[in-house]
Amino acid sequence: IGYTTEETEQVYKSLYGVLGDQQTAATATANLQALELEQEDLVEMTELAIGAWAQYGDSIPIDSLAESINETAQVGEVTGTLADALNWAGINEDAFNEKLALASSESERAQMIMEALKGQGWIKSHRVIAIPTRS
């Protein structure tokens, strides 16, 4: 999937709006786009990552979470910061790994990750602050 400049900007601005750091926002954007989700799902995954960060603070850095979501979807086993987020949310990592092993593709695993994160209510647990941009 290729993302337009506008689609990339939408995700980047959401991340930059809460992080205030260009490099972190760019890294997280790149890792989430690597999942090759449809734009609507990419926006939702971005909101979930922001929600996890809002819930757990710097213990779950968004750029690390985005990287581990991407890696988990690729390898089919929970890795890194995603493992922490799932464990703290009460999701059994071993049981989740068993589900991931049944998936037939990276995109199916990405959807499974998104569904697990959606179950935590993290989209509703944060409010994105809009940062005005200069024209």
Side-chain angles (χ1 to χ4, degrees), residues 5-110:
T5 302
E6 292 79 17
E7 290 170 334
T8 299
E9 189 175 342
Q10 179 184 15
V11 170
Y12 173 82
K13 281 184 173 182
S14 291
L15 290 163
Y16 183 75
V18 295
L19 298 171
D21 181 85
Q22 293 177 343
Q23 185 59 50
T24 304
T27 300
T29 299
N31 275 304
L32 292 172
Q33 284 185 323
L35 293 167
E36 297 184 356
L37 298 168
E38 295 298 323
Q39 182 66 12
E40 183 179 311
D41 288 340
L42 176 62
V43 167
E44 189 168 33
M45 186 71 90
T46 302
E47 291 175 1
L48 289 164
I50 292 168
W53 174 73
Q55 178 74 30
Y56 298 115
D58 290 337
S59 298
I60 302 287
I62 293 176
D63 53 337
S64 295
L65 179 59
E67 181 180 4
S68 65
I69 288 170
N70 180 21
E71 187 177 328
T72 296
Q74 287 179 26
V75 301
E77 188 171 314
V78 177
T79 65
T81 310
L82 178 60
D84 293 336
L86 294 175
N87 286 328
W88 294 344
I91 296 172
N92 182 289
E93 187 179 334
D94 292 331
F96 194 70
N97 279 332
E98 288 173 18
K99 288 180 187 177
L100 288 172
L102 299 174
S104 58
S105 67
E106 240 179 81
S107 66
E108 189 179 340
R109 288 188 290 272

